[in-house]
Amino acid sequence: MRAYLILEDGTVMEGLSIGSPKEVISEIVFNTSMTGYLEVLTDPSYAGQAVVMTYPLIGNYGITPDMESERPWPDGYIVRELSRMPSNFRSKGSIQDFLRQYDIPGIAGIDTRALTKILREKGTMNGMITTNADYNIEEIIPRLKAYTTGRVVERVTCRVQKRLEAKRPKKKVALLDLGAKQNIAHSLVKRGCQVTIYPAHTPAEEILSANPDGIMLSNGPGDPRECTSIIEELKKLYASEIPIFAICLGHQLMALANGADTYKMKYGHRGGNHPVKDLKTGRVYISSQNHGYVVDTKRLDPKIAKPAFVNVNDGTNEGLEYIGKQIFTVQFHPEACPGPQDSAYLFDRFMEMMGGKTNAKE
């Protein structure tokens, strides 16, 4: 079956339908990772977006247990060439069947290099994936321009509180699930933490009443400025003396809770090869990233926080350290392994802030 990708600038690309045949409008973004397509598909931060994979061959090792959540989250999936015969001893199926199972449409056969160049030059834009060859582009374009991802955190957060236990728990961590990747909790459990996972809109009083040794704010999707009620609760968590570590959306929300601002990037950072510089040591780390918004350091009060990391490619902020507080936040993903474990030491730093040991092998 033929499928069409229609962008809000009027560009139309044709390919083959994969996954669900349904029609969808979404924000079109690209990811530059050469491997890890399953981690991309199951990252909750992609809710409300259709993902273009720049690496040309996708699906060659099938669907394996390397999932960051229980299901895929993108609205659509766009690839150059899809492997029809996955080969891996852990493979449990194909991407085609995986997409069909979760009713996610996709397109194969698209010139993803040309598509990525369009998104880089004109910026991230909305698009439609459809199998309707009789589409009316004059009717579609206004719908594309009107689309917004909306309040997607509500879609991806857990519905009830959950708990993960370490073999010999040394510290209690409260993880606020804004769309958390599973390896965040697993990275803490490996270091001897009992991790209680809370839904995104849990009141700060409930979290604080559990007397955690530390608080973790996770990654997540969407425009951080739309999370107004969560920001109000983070102000209360900031006022406590409990150590806090935040990643991606959590990093942005903590900045907003303290008077800073965020803005939308032209096409964002999405991939497993982004260099970030630690401003304290001067060392550069290879990081995994997935974000379309960034903290505006020009609106940052230097008495409240100072930049801790910077992106080597474009100079945007990649982390903050809060003055007089046991709080640090990063824009990238230390729980991912692109370096392969360049920035995992940040979890050790969090353990030290809580007064715990840093042995991740336990």
Side-chain angles (χ1 to χ4, degrees):
M1 185 186 298
R2 307 303 295 177
Y4 306 89
L5 173 65
I6 305 169
L7 300 180
E8 65 178 89
D9 70 345
T11 299
V12 179
M13 293 184 169
E14 182 178 343
L16 293 174
S17 174
I18 57 174
S20 170
K22 77 174 185 180
E23 185 173 278
V24 67
I25 293 176
S26 189
E27 184 179 56
I28 312 298
V29 301
F30 64 88
N31 184 291
T32 59
S33 299
M34 295 178 68
T35 61
Y37 58 79
L38 188 59
E39 288 89 338
V40 170
L41 275 169
T42 55
D43 182 348
S45 295
Y46 282 112
Q49 299 174 327
V51 184
V52 180
M53 300 301 294
T54 62
Y55 190 71
L57 179 61
I58 298 296
N60 56 321
Y61 53 87
I63 300 299
T64 62
D66 308 309
M67 296 175 61
E68 284 291 359
S69 61
E70 296 178 353
R71 53 154 294 168
W73 288 104
D75 289 346
Y77 201 54
I78 303 164
V79 303
R80 176 68 183 92
E81 182 179 350
L82 188 67
S83 173
R84 300 292 174 178
M85 297 176 63
S87 177
N88 186 281
F89 72 99
R90 299 191 305 157
S91 178
K92 297 181 178 180
S94 69
I95 284 185
Q96 301 95 303
D97 292 339
F98 191 60
L99 294 176
R100 289 190 199 103
Q101 178 184 351
Y102 290 98
D103 199 28
I104 297 174
I107 304 181
I110 291 289
D111 186 342
T112 53
R113 180 180 175 86
L115 176 55
T116 300
K117 289 177 71 174
I118 291 172
L119 297 176
R120 283 180 59 90
E121 291 167 6
K122 297 185 178 181
T124 295
M125 64 181 82
N126 298 330
M128 172 187 283
I129 296 174
T130 181
T131 57
N132 179 15
D134 298 321
Y135 60 83
N136 183 333
I137 198 163
E138 284 83 15
E139 183 269 333
I140 290 172
I141 296 299
R143 292 170 57 195
L144 298 182
K145 291 184 177 180
Y147 173 81
T148 62
T149 58
R151 303 175 72 88
V152 280
V153 169
E154 284 82 350
R155 282 172 51 188
V156 300
T157 188
C158 61
R159 298 292 176 252
V160 295
Q161 189 182 126
K162 298 181 287 187
R163 180 170 294 173
L164 299 178
E165 297 281 358
K167 290 182 180 179
R168 296 185 297 275
K170 297 184 284 285
K171 296 294 176 182
K172 291 167 51 180
V173 174
L175 170 57
L176 189 63
D177 179 11
L178 307 168
K181 294 164 67 178
Q182 289 184 352
N183 208 34
I184 293 178
H186 293 163
S187 296
L188 293 167
V189 170
K190 284 192 298 185
R191 287 165 172 81
C193 294
Q194 176 199 82
V195 180
T196 303
I197 304 172
Y198 293 88
H201 291 281
T202 302
E205 292 81 4
E206 181 178 341
I207 295 174
L208 295 174
S209 66
N211 296 314
D213 298 299
I215 298 171
M216 185 90 220
L217 309 179
S218 83
N219 63 293
D223 184 345
R225 285 185 290 188
E226 292 193 359
C227 300
T228 52
S229 61
I230 298 174
I231 291 169
E232 291 303 310
E233 298 306 312
L234 293 192
K235 291 179 181 179
K236 302 172 187 176
L237 298 181
Y238 172 85
S240 74
E241 296 303 318
I242 298 174
I244 298 176
F245 179 24
I247 292 173
C248 199
L249 180 62
H251 153 79
Q252 298 164 2
L253 295 182
M254 181 57 73
L256 289 169
N258 284 280
D261 199 5
T262 58
Y263 63 88
K264 189 171 186 177
M265 306 173 76
K266 185 176 181 181
Y267 48 81
H269 296 157
R270 297 176 181 89
N273 53 358
H274 291 264
V276 296
K277 183 178 182 180
D278 186 331
L279 296 178
K280 183 176 292 185
T281 65
R283 184 172 178 178
V284 174
Y285 300 90
I286 299 301
S287 69
S288 173
Q289 302 199 12
N290 175 15
H291 63 102
Y293 294 83
V294 67
V295 172
D296 185 356
T297 53
K298 294 178 182 178
R299 299 284 300 275
L300 185 68
D301 186 344
K303 295 180 181 179
I304 292 179
K306 63 179 181 180
F309 289 89
V310 66
N311 189 286
V312 175
N313 289 333
D314 62 13
T316 53
N317 179 256
E318 292 283 359
L320 296 172
E321 184 174 341
Y322 285 79
I323 309 301
K325 291 282 187 176
Q326 293 193 87
I327 301 175
F328 73 99
T329 67
V330 294
Q331 181 62 75
F332 52 96
H333 289 265
E335 82 288 347
C337 303
Q341 299 185 44
D342 280 24
S343 54
Y345 76 94
L346 293 172
F347 286 99
D348 297 331
R349 177 179 171 186
F350 184 44
M351 292 295 296
E352 291 169 359
M353 287 168 55
M354 295 187 292
K357 295 181 179 180
T358 61
N359 185 0
K361 296 181 180 181
E362 293 191 12

